[in-house]
Amino acid sequence: PAYHASSGGRTENSENYWTTAMPYLRSVDDPYARESRYGRTEAAYSKAQVSERTGAALPASTDQPLVRVVSRFPSGRVEQVLVGDKLLTGRELRERLGLRSNWFDVREEGDRVLFDIYGYGHGIGMSQYGANGMAVAGYRFDQILTHYYTGVEIVAWYE
């Protein structure tokens, strides 16, 4: 089963990061992951670094942003982002910059591109920090597993 460090507050549908829709890997609310150390983190890059790592040309005018989110999945994660003249997926930008997640907000200040990042990992399946938070709150293992892996049934194979 798929798992990741922290969802940032909501997990992701499998087909929004990978190529296949899996019926048990559906997006679910994950409130205990919001409070984890990776619930929200920050990263900063110079515009030159972003341009170099993405192969995108810097805008001709300083009035134009270098990075602009074009669309998001219902979970909040970035589906598509325009970097200069290049249209990338949120996953591609995450991988090229080394961001913790493809769920981010972006802003620019001078020559810097600043990212507010939610979660750590692809966001599919069980969140380790979220599952731990559920356990600390008193949820049983079967409740935790069926929360993250929707539609599954826990059965005993032996007695």
Side-chain angles (χ1 to χ4, degrees):
Y3 65 93
H4 56 280
S6 175
S7 71
R10 181 144 199 99
T11 67
E12 183 58 89
N13 289 331
S14 60
E15 69 274 14
N16 292 346
Y17 198 82
W18 299 326
T19 57
T20 305
M22 301 299 292
Y24 67 98
L25 296 174
R26 304 291 84 206
S27 178
V28 298
D29 191 38
D30 193 15
Y32 294 100
R34 279 188 202 106
E35 304 308 317
S36 80
R37 63 190 275 192
Y38 299 113
R40 182 186 163 281
T41 57
E42 299 175 353
Y45 301 89
S46 70
K47 288 182 179 180
Q49 287 174 312
V50 173
S51 175
E52 179 183 316
R53 292 182 187 184
T54 62
L58 292 169
S61 167
T62 57
D63 294 339
Q64 296 175 309
L66 174 60
V67 180
R68 184 174 58 86
V69 173
V70 175
S71 61
R72 294 182 183 274
F73 294 111
S75 67
R77 286 175 176 75
V78 174
E79 180 180 20
Q80 292 187 317
V81 60
L82 190 62
V83 182
D85 56 349
K86 292 197 177 291
L87 186 64
L88 302 173
T89 66
R91 178 182 179 175
E92 288 171 325
L93 186 61
R94 173 192 181 211
E95 291 172 354
R96 292 181 188 197
L97 295 181
L99 301 175
R100 289 189 169 135
S101 167
N102 67 320
W103 186 1
F104 55 81
D105 294 323
V106 62
R107 66 188 186 285
E108 297 180 20
E109 295 177 3
D111 185 46
R112 312 231 351 121
V113 182
L114 308 168
F115 294 88
D116 294 318
I117 305 160
Y118 305 96
Y120 194 166
H122 48 63
I124 301 167
M126 185 171 64
S127 161
Q128 292 171 303
Y129 278 90
N132 183 66
M134 288 181 74
V136 168
Y139 288 89
R140 298 183 321 268
F141 80 94
D142 56 329
Q143 293 173 306
I144 295 169
L145 292 174
T146 57
H147 174 73
Y148 289 106
Y149 303 113
T150 57
V152 301
E153 181 183 351
I154 308 295
V155 297
W157 284 50
Y158 58 89
E159 300 220 15

